[in-house]
Amino acid sequence: MKVKTTKITMKQDGNISSAYEALMDCTLCPRNCHVDRTDGGVGFCGTGKALVVSSVGPHFGEEPPISGHYGSGTVFLAGCGLLCDFCQNHNISHGRAGNVMTEAELVRAIMRLQQIGCHNINFVTPTHFTPHIIEVVSLARTRGLRIPVVYNCGGYESIETLKMLEGFVDIYMPDIKFLNSELAERYCRARNYPSIVRAAVKEMHRQVGDLEIGETGLASRGLLIRHLVMPGAAADSRAVIDFIADEISPASYVNVMEQYRPSYKAYKYPELNRPLTDKEFKDVFDYAANRGLRLA
Ligand code: SF4
């Protein structure tokens, strides 16, 4: 892979300090808690000032252009600003399972991932730790990090926070969970998720464009969108596909995911308390294929 020589610009230096300042009146995500996380305050995401990491290691279950042969260097962050009731990683998101790490420790860990051959550094659910991520990427690049940085998020992102990330992220990998406010309110208490995710994915696409995949089959830059097909929500899935094709790009790379299983508090909702059927998945997948999207 071609070696990158990314320099930290004055603008990006400014992004690091203003990102940390954002913790003092936290509006890093659209929950807009306005708590001072530098002084013991804890908002909806359940995290304070310290960086809490659940695990660091190669991951082989991502899309082929991300996992490749040697894995995606994945950093699972503890906590989450969205907290869906059907979360399949609820011990990490709701339970905040993990250990405090300093930025310097995480830099050493991700440099090791590059050393063992991982194709990228993949921050999972990073939004509430954006200042820490920016500093870690900045430091790591000065120490020779040359593989792409992936921002693997739930799509519930503020535009201001995404603008801070410009230049630090090579590949955005957001979910688009729903475009139906009732579903977003019911399962995540986030009625504004649809309008937020529409604007966020447009901003991500503005920054990095469509997914670029090289001759080796690995992604180097761009946008990879995920949509988990939910039981009984075919109309909303079609709306998600139409939004991507019509308002993002017809060349978007999309993973239509079939792995929905009832998890965590999904039992509370009769319509969610069953696996997806093959037909439900195939109908959405075929719809996306007919719209001409690049499917994982
Ligand atoms: S990152 Fe956490 S504290 Fe900050 S606005 Fe989002 S949920 Fe609230």
Side-chain angles (χ1 to χ4, degrees):
M1 182 179 291
K2 190 178 171 194
V3 175
K4 288 183 181 175
T5 54
T6 309
K7 287 185 181 157
I8 303 303
T9 64
M10 281 180 63
K11 176 177 181 292
Q12 288 173 336
D13 248 348
N15 280 8
I16 298 171
S17 51
S18 60
Y20 274 109
E21 280 170 23
L23 290 177
M24 296 169 71
D25 180 27
C26 192
T27 55
L28 282 172
C29 85
R31 295 290 183 192
N32 289 328
C33 299
H34 290 285
V35 293
D36 184 354
R37 290 173 54 189
T38 68
D39 192 26
V42 172
F44 191 90
C45 61
T47 56
K49 182 182 180 186
L51 177 65
V52 186
V53 177
S54 178
S55 66
V56 180
H59 185 46
F60 298 90
E62 306 287 33
E63 291 77 358
I66 303 296
S67 283
H69 288 298
Y70 299 112
S72 174
T74 304
V75 180
F76 282 95
L77 286 316
C80 177
L82 191 53
L83 295 178
C84 308
D85 277 348
F86 56 88
C87 182
Q88 301 189 351
N89 289 324
H90 56 89
N91 58 326
I92 301 173
S93 54
H94 293 257
R96 302 190 292 281
N99 296 302
V100 171
M101 285 182 89
T102 66
E103 285 82 343
E105 287 170 335
L106 187 53
V107 169
R108 283 197 291 278
I110 69 175
M111 295 310 290
R112 175 75 181 140
L113 293 173
Q114 175 172 271
Q115 197 179 25
I116 65 174
C118 290
H119 304 295
N120 44 65
I121 301 299
N122 179 357
F123 293 104
V124 182
T125 319
T127 309
H128 49 294
F129 289 126
T130 292
H132 313 71
I133 302 298
I134 289 176
E135 181 169 8
V136 165
V137 171
S138 171
L139 280 170
R141 283 181 174 166
T142 64
R143 293 180 194 172
L145 183 75
R146 55 184 168 70
I147 54 179
V149 171
V150 181
Y151 197 82
N152 181 344
C153 62
Y156 196 53
E157 319 297 321
S158 85
I159 298 300
E160 293 72 22
T161 301
L162 290 173
K163 286 186 188 295
M164 285 188 226
L165 286 161
E166 188 163 8
F168 294 98
V169 171
D170 302 293
I171 298 169
Y172 282 105
M173 202 153 69
D175 294 325
I176 301 182
K177 294 174 186 289
F178 335 92
L179 289 180
N180 177 315
S181 301
E182 301 303 322
L183 296 181
E185 176 62 22
R186 183 168 163 81
Y187 304 142
C188 311
R189 287 149 300 280
R191 182 172 293 280
N192 61 354
Y193 180 90
S195 60
I196 294 284
V197 75
R198 282 174 183 270
V201 175
K202 286 180 181 176
E203 169 62 19
M204 294 174 193
H205 189 258
R206 181 195 70 75
Q207 289 185 22
V208 297
D210 292 330
L211 193 69
E212 298 171 16
I213 299 176
E215 289 175 3
T216 58
L218 294 169
S220 56
R221 183 177 171 82
L223 176 66
L224 190 166
I225 301 169
R226 290 169 160 174
H227 172 64
L228 177 67
V229 183
M230 304 279 288
D236 194 49
S237 285
R238 287 193 295 273
V240 169
I241 299 301
D242 286 341
F243 165 70
I244 296 169
D246 295 337
E247 298 187 45
I248 301 299
S249 163
S252 294
Y253 190 100
V254 182
N255 186 2
V256 178
M257 300 189 294
E258 62 180 325
Q259 60 262 46
Y260 177 82
R261 301 282 182 280
S263 292
Y264 193 48
K265 294 182 181 173
Y267 69 88
K268 291 197 315 183
Y269 309 100
E271 72 277 18
L272 287 192
N273 200 17
R274 65 167 175 87
L276 194 69
T277 66
D278 290 346
K279 183 175 186 319
E280 282 175 311
F281 171 71
K282 188 171 182 309
D283 285 351
V284 176
F285 186 89
D286 289 348
Y287 188 81
N290 286 335
R291 290 299 323 256
L293 297 173
R294 298 155 68 201
L295 298 178

